[in-house]
């Protein structure tokens, strides 16, 4: 790897000189050599160096959910390699060939240039000091004082800290907008003077009436003026069950017509549709990062001004040696290094427990969370409902009702069919495929089975077929709606024989998790695109504090924002495409493995084991991290304070500064790495101690 890094160092200088060169072939050839060496170097780090910053579990999870390096980490990798080579040049110069010291000094200035630029930019534009200014000043002072090797080693440590910090963050490279991008049809059918006519989609205007049939994706937002159909709105609302649409109902672009036929009056087209606007929001937020600096970085920045003032006073009172000693004391910089290490320790603990924290800063924010908001379908509940009850009528048995329902839904793949077939399998019912099946224009299926006509669907479907619904079934339907269940009617040869009640199937761990989060004093909400009644029933069933129902994706983000404006720190847990905007709006965002790619890309934390129970473990880990970080911060004050006092009282110089800096860095790093070392020594012990800590805190 040394030759590759050397090529990077030399190539960087050569490329700079070739920028103004007039020979494009030579410039292109040199650039190609430089790029090839850089790619090999980056791959070497990814395979052999990155695993040193974490356990095997975290490395695998990062690769699965985060992809390759982002541009920022690529640059950090380059400058880390260059700083190592530059230190080697400084050592060679000090021992064998002094002119190399000047080369190393120039290389050092080149390497730290971006840090100085960023520090000055922050100082001028934001009127605040960053600790990196001290790192730069100590480098310049060290070079002026002839400390070439020490200055180079300090910069290696600085970029090593940057590398550790980069390993606490992961950025998805997926384009979030693609999930909502609308595949515009070339041609559409419109109604003109009661006749259907095909025109170019680009010619479509507001007020036109579009004709949509089963299997078509809705290309516009509008209102139904004629017809009935079943619409899959999963991509927008997250709800797995199709929605019945009829006259005056609104339909949205990017939804799918499952059955039936509609005449829809155009209200919005192109970039004005709800789906396109969501895509734009996601695209603008594709490079989203939490606007939050790590607490360790904040502390280091806050100590910058005191360190500069102390160094200035030392220059006036005890001389330049004292000023240089304070500049290199590491007062605050130990947090700059050990803070990311502490975070990395707990990120690895999280990974060991099946939790990938992609952005380490979210682990720190999690400690301040007071509100958890859950998406309903796919998060608290499974997408597939379950059969809760079977109602029979007209002398038929419950087993017969379920048998005919399963026969009709045989080979269907939508969630309702899966629930009915699962219930039939549990009761060991034997059924054979129907002779023929077809979807009716409306909200159900009709099959021919052994000379009988079987119809399964909604009450609207039955009324459309002029099938009378008994009064007792209508009563049951009303009661089911009140508790958030749905009723699927079953008819044979034009007579209603019964109905199958379906309700949302809770994740097995949901009830226990809700109790645990309440014990932590957290306020809980449900946020759903489903109707009011089923959402309310689920909230009551789980004893969840509040709920928001019938909310579209952009509305979900608005609800999160409202809670934040009330002063709440919000963690949002979602798993669908429709949750992407809300996941980005929340202070901390959590998704589950197996969720849509957009959800896991948007979320800062992924529950890899697909269990909500990990959410309680996540809060335990966050508490442990903050306790460890507090100890690290306390330890970081001691050596710097002792050195500054020693400079003024006992005229300490650079040797004392290096000694105190080394001892402080060793102590804080040991504390930061202790949890990860304990995890590697005894993987089961770490979570036990975390649980004991939480239990003691409650008592």
């Amino acid at each position: 790897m040394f030759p590759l890094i050397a090529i990077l160092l030399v190539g960087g200088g050569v490329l700079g000189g070739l920028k103004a060169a007039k020979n494009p072939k030579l410039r292109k050839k040199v650039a190609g050599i430089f790029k090839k060496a850089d790619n090999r170097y980056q791959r070497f780090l990814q395979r052999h160096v990155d695993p040193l910053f974490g356990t095997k579990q975290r490395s695998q999870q990062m690769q699965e959910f985060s992809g390759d390096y982002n541009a920022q980490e690529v640059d950090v990798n380059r400058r880390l390699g260059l700083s190592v080579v530059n230190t080697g040049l400084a050592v060679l110069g000090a021992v064998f060939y002094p002119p190399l010291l000047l080369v190393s000094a120039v290389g050092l200035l080149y390497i730290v240039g971006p840090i100085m630029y960023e520090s000055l930019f922050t100082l001028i534009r934001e009127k605040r000091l960053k600790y990196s200014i001290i790192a730069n000043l100590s480098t310049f002072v060290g070079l002026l004082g002839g400390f070439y090797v020490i200055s180079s080693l300090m910069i290696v440590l600085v970029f090593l800290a940057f590398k550790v910090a980069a390993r606490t963050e992961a950025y998805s490279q997926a384009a979030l907008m693609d999930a909502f991008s609308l595949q515009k049809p070339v041609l559409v059918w419109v109604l003109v003077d009661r006749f259907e006519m095909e025109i170019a989609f680009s010619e479509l205007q507001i007020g036109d009436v579009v004709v949509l049939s089963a299997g078509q994706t809705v290309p516009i937002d509008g209102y139904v003026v004629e017809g009935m159909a079943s619409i899959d709105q999963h991509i927008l609302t997250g709800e797995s069950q199709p929605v019945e649409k009829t006259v005056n109902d609104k339909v949205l672009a990017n939804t799918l017509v499952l059955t039936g036929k509609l005449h829809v009056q155009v209200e919005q087209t192109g970039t004005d549709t709800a789906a396109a606007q969501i895509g734009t929001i996601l695209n603008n937020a594709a490079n989203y990062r939490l606007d939050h600096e790590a607490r360790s970085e904040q502390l280091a920045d806050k100590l910058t001004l005191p360190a500069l003032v102390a160094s200035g006073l030392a220059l006036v009172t005890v001389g330049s040696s004292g000023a240089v000693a304070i500049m290199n004391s590491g007062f605050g910089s130990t947090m700059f290094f050990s803070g990311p290490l502490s975070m990395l320790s707990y990120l690895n603990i999280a990974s060991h427990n099946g939790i990938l924290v992609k952005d380490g800063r979210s682990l720190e924010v999690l400690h301040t969370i007071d509100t958890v908001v859950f998406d309903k379908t796919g998060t608290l509940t499974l997408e597939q409902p379950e059969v809760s009850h079977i109602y029979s009528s007209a002398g038929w048995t419950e087993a017969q009702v379920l048998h005919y329902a399963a026969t009709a839904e045989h080979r269907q793949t939508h969630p309702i069919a899966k629930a009915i077939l699962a219930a039939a399998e549990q009761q060991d019912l034997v059924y054979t495929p129907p002779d023929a099946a077809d979807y009716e224009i409306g909200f159900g299926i009709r099959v021919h089975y052994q000379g009988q006509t079987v119809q399964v669907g909604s009450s609207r479907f039955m009324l459309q077929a002029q099938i009378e619904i008994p009064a007792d079934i209508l009563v049951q339907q009303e009661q089911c709606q009140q508790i958030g269940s749905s009723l699927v009617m079953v008819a044979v040869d034009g007579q209603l024989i019964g109905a199958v009640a379906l309700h949302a199937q809770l994740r097995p761990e949901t009830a226990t998790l809700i109790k645990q989060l309440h014990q932590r004093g957290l306020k809980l909400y449900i946020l759903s695109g489903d109707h009011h009644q089923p959402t309310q029933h689920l909230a009551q069933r789980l004893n969840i504090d509040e709920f928001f129902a019938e909310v579209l994706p952009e509305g979900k983000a608005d609800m999160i924002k409202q809670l934040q404006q009330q002063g709440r720190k919000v963690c949002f847990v979602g798993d669908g495409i429709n949750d992407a905007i809300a996941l980005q709006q929340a202070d901390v965002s959590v998704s589950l493995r197996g969720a849509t790619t957009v959800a896991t890309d948007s979320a800062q934390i992924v529950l890899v084991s697909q269990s909500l129970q990990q959410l309680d473990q996540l809060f335990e880990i966050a508490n442990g991290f903050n306790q460890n970080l507090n100890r690290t911060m306390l330890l970081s004050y001691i050596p710097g304070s002792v050195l500054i006092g020693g400079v003024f009282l006992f005229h300490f110089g650079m040797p004392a500064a290096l000694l105190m800096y080394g001892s402080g860095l060793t102590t804080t790093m040991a504390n930061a790495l202790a949890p990860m070392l304990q995890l590697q020594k005894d993987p089961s012990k770490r979570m036990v101690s975390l649980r004991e800590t939480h239990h003691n805190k409650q008592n």
Side-chain angles (χ1 to χ4, degrees):
M1 275 300 99
F2 188 88
L4 288 177
I5 299 173
I7 291 174
L8 290 177
L9 184 64
V10 176
V14 173
L15 283 177
L18 289 175
K19 284 184 178 178
K22 295 182 179 180
N23 189 334
K25 290 184 178 180
L26 179 61
R27 187 166 64 242
K28 185 177 181 180
K29 186 175 181 180
V30 173
I33 295 172
F34 174 72
K35 184 176 181 180
K36 186 179 293 185
D38 184 44
N39 288 339
R40 289 184 62 187
Y41 169 65
Q42 300 290 345
R43 287 197 298 270
F44 174 82
L45 289 184
Q46 201 164 33
R47 292 172 184 172
H48 302 290
V49 177
D50 288 356
L52 301 177
F53 293 101
T55 60
K56 184 178 180 180
Q57 291 98 325
R58 178 164 170 80
S59 298
Q60 292 173 341
Q61 293 165 5
M62 290 272 283
Q63 189 62 35
E64 178 180 355
F65 290 100
S66 305
D68 297 327
Y69 291 137
N70 65 2
Q72 183 179 2
E73 188 166 359
V74 166
D75 186 65
V76 168
N77 288 340
R78 288 174 187 153
R79 295 185 185 276
L80 176 60
L82 293 174
S83 64
V84 171
V85 171
N86 200 68
T87 302
L89 288 175
V91 172
L92 290 174
V95 177
F96 299 110
Y97 188 57
L100 287 177
L101 292 173
L102 295 177
V103 177
S104 72
V106 174
L108 199 60
L109 295 176
Y110 168 76
I111 293 168
V112 301
I115 305 178
M116 176 56 77
Y117 175 80
E118 182 184 352
S119 301
L120 292 175
F121 183 86
T122 304
L123 179 62
I124 295 170
R125 292 294 180 89
E126 301 180 24
K127 302 294 188 297
R128 66 187 179 96
L129 288 167
K130 291 188 69 66
Y131 189 81
S132 50
I133 251 186
I134 289 185
N136 283 280
L137 288 176
S138 62
T139 300
F140 294 141
V141 171
L143 291 176
L144 291 174
F147 298 104
Y148 296 101
V149 176
I150 292 175
S151 297
S152 297
L153 282 172
M154 290 293 292
I155 294 305
V156 171
L157 286 176
V158 167
F159 279 101
L160 192 60
F162 285 156
K163 176 64 177 177
V164 174
R167 287 290 84 202
T168 67
E169 302 172 7
Y171 301 93
S172 298
Q173 304 300 313
L176 299 180
M177 182 179 177
D178 289 346
F180 280 102
S181 60
L182 178 61
Q183 300 299 318
K184 299 176 183 177
V186 177
L187 301 171
V188 291
W189 287 91
V190 297
L191 204 62
V192 179
D193 296 328
R194 305 300 300 174
F195 291 97
E196 295 182 10
M197 179 183 299
E198 196 173 30
I199 66 170
F201 178 78
S202 58
E203 298 176 4
L204 200 62
Q205 297 181 359
I206 306 299
D208 287 347
V209 176
V210 176
V211 180
L212 298 172
S213 301
Q216 287 185 299
T217 298
V218 180
I220 46 85
D221 289 354
Y223 287 91
V224 178
V225 293
E226 185 178 328
M228 293 189 300
S230 177
I231 303 284
D232 180 1
Q233 296 186 149
H234 180 265
I235 193 170
L236 290 178
T237 66
E239 299 308 314
S240 55
Q241 296 188 28
V243 180
E244 301 172 345
K245 297 289 184 179
T246 187
V247 177
N248 294 327
D249 289 339
K250 187 170 184 176
V251 294
L252 299 171
N254 248 24
T255 58
L256 178 66
V257 181
L258 296 178
T259 64
K261 186 175 181 179
L262 294 174
H263 293 172
V264 180
Q265 188 171 40
V266 178
E267 186 182 35
Q268 302 287 353
T269 63
T271 57
D272 293 327
T273 63
Q277 289 174 358
I278 292 168
T280 301
I281 293 171
L282 289 174
N283 188 50
N284 292 338
N287 296 319
Y288 167 77
R289 288 185 63 182
L290 184 64
D291 185 20
H292 169 78
E293 286 185 337
R295 190 147 55 101
S296 56
E297 187 177 346
Q298 289 177 349
L299 174 63
D301 290 346
K302 287 178 180 178
L303 293 174
T304 300
L305 184 58
L308 290 174
V309 170
S311 182
L313 288 174
L315 181 63
V316 174
T317 57
V318 299
S320 59
S321 62
V324 173
I326 291 176
M327 192 73 70
N328 290 276
S329 66
F331 187 55
S333 72
T334 49
M335 279 302 299
F336 187 74
F337 300 126
S338 56
L341 281 177
S342 178
M343 186 177 288
L344 194 60
S345 290
Y346 281 87
L347 296 186
N348 282 294
I349 290 172
S351 293
H352 178 75
N353 287 276
I355 304 167
L356 174 62
V357 183
K358 295 194 293 179
D359 189 335
R361 293 164 297 178
S362 62
L363 189 65
E364 189 170 282
V365 176
L366 198 66
H367 184 65
T368 68
I369 292 296
D370 55 23
T371 303
V372 179
V373 180
F374 293 96
D375 172 59
K376 184 171 78 72
T377 305
T379 304
L380 290 175
T381 65
L382 301 175
E383 287 196 358
Q384 181 179 315
E386 61 182 348
V387 174
S388 59
H389 198 82
I390 300 171
Y391 302 100
S392 60
S393 181
W396 296 77
T397 66
E398 294 179 4
Q400 288 174 315
V401 172
L402 183 58
H403 174 268
Y404 279 107
T407 299
E409 298 291 358
H410 183 70
R411 292 180 181 172
Q412 300 304 313
T413 58
H414 55 82
I416 293 176
K418 288 180 179 179
I420 291 173
L421 294 173
E425 184 177 346
Q426 288 175 0
Q427 295 189 22
D428 296 324
L429 294 181
V430 179
Y431 54 90
T432 57
D435 303 322
D438 61 344
Y439 276 104
E440 292 287 296
I441 296 178
F443 319 112
I445 187 172
R446 180 178 64 182
V447 304
H448 300 289
Y449 173 69
Q450 296 182 355
Q452 296 174 304
T453 299
V454 181
Q455 290 164 284
V456 177
S458 67
S459 57
R460 281 187 180 181
F461 182 58
M462 297 301 164
L463 293 175
Q464 180 190 6
Q466 297 182 343
I467 296 174
E468 184 179 355
I469 302 175
D472 60 330
I473 298 295
L474 289 174
V475 171
Q476 295 299 337
Q477 183 180 37
E478 185 176 350
Q479 291 178 350
C480 284
Q481 290 174 347
Q482 290 175 355
I483 63 172
S485 300
S486 59
L487 212 58
V488 178
M489 310 288 182
V490 182
V492 176
D493 289 335
Q495 181 187 38
L496 196 92
I497 65 170
V500 178
L502 301 168
H503 71 184
Q505 185 177 182
L506 284 177
R507 287 182 177 273
E509 71 275 15
T510 300
T512 301
L513 172 70
I514 298 303
K515 291 179 182 178
Q516 291 171 332
L517 296 183
H518 270 140
Q519 288 172 356
R520 293 184 179 276
L522 298 170
K523 191 173 179 66
L524 308 181
Y525 288 78
I526 293 177
L527 190 55
S528 176
D530 201 359
H531 296 297
H532 180 91
Q533 285 183 325
T535 306
Q536 181 183 35
H537 179 260
L538 182 64
Q540 293 172 344
R541 182 178 170 189
L542 291 173
N543 193 29
I544 287 179
D545 306 297
E546 302 284 350
F547 69 92
F548 303 108
E550 301 181 39
V551 185
L552 286 177
E554 65 274 23
K556 289 187 175 184
D558 291 338
M559 293 298 180
I560 300 292
K561 190 181 296 184
Q562 285 180 24
L563 292 172
Q564 291 169 329
Q565 289 171 347
Q566 295 170 14
R568 294 192 170 277
K569 289 285 187 178
V570 180
C571 171
F572 179 63
V573 187
D575 78 320
I577 293 174
N578 56 303
D579 298 325
I581 303 175
L583 285 166
Q584 295 192 4
Q585 176 63 43
D587 297 287
V588 175
S589 52
V590 179
S591 188
L592 289 80
R593 184 180 191 170
T596 60
T597 302
V598 172
T600 52
D601 282 350
S602 302
Q604 297 158 306
I605 300 171
V606 180
L607 306 182
V608 180
S609 299
Q610 297 177 272
S611 171
L612 279 181
Q613 189 59 49
Q614 294 172 300
L615 193 60
D616 186 61
Q617 292 178 341
L618 179 62
F619 278 100
E620 289 184 14
I621 292 168
N623 288 337
F625 165 64
N626 275 275
Q627 291 171 11
N628 180 271
L629 189 61
N630 288 336
R631 286 193 301 271
T632 304
M633 291 171 68
L634 180 62
L635 291 171
S636 71
Y637 281 109
I638 298 172
S641 301
V642 170
L643 177 71
I644 291 175
V647 166
F648 288 104
L649 297 176
F650 307 108
H651 301 283
F652 284 176
M654 271 298 283
L658 293 177
L659 178 63
M660 297 304 297
Y661 179 78
S663 62
L665 189 60
T666 302
T667 304
T668 54
M669 288 177 64
N671 180 73
L673 290 172
M676 186 160 63
L677 295 175
Q678 187 178 9
L679 172 67
Q680 292 173 348
K681 184 177 179 181
D682 186 354
S684 63
K685 190 174 181 181
R686 185 64 218 159
M687 280 311 300
V688 171
S689 64
L690 283 172
R691 281 191 289 270
E692 288 174 350
T693 299
H694 175 56
H695 178 71
N696 294 336
K697 185 178 178 182
Q698 282 187 313
N699 292 339

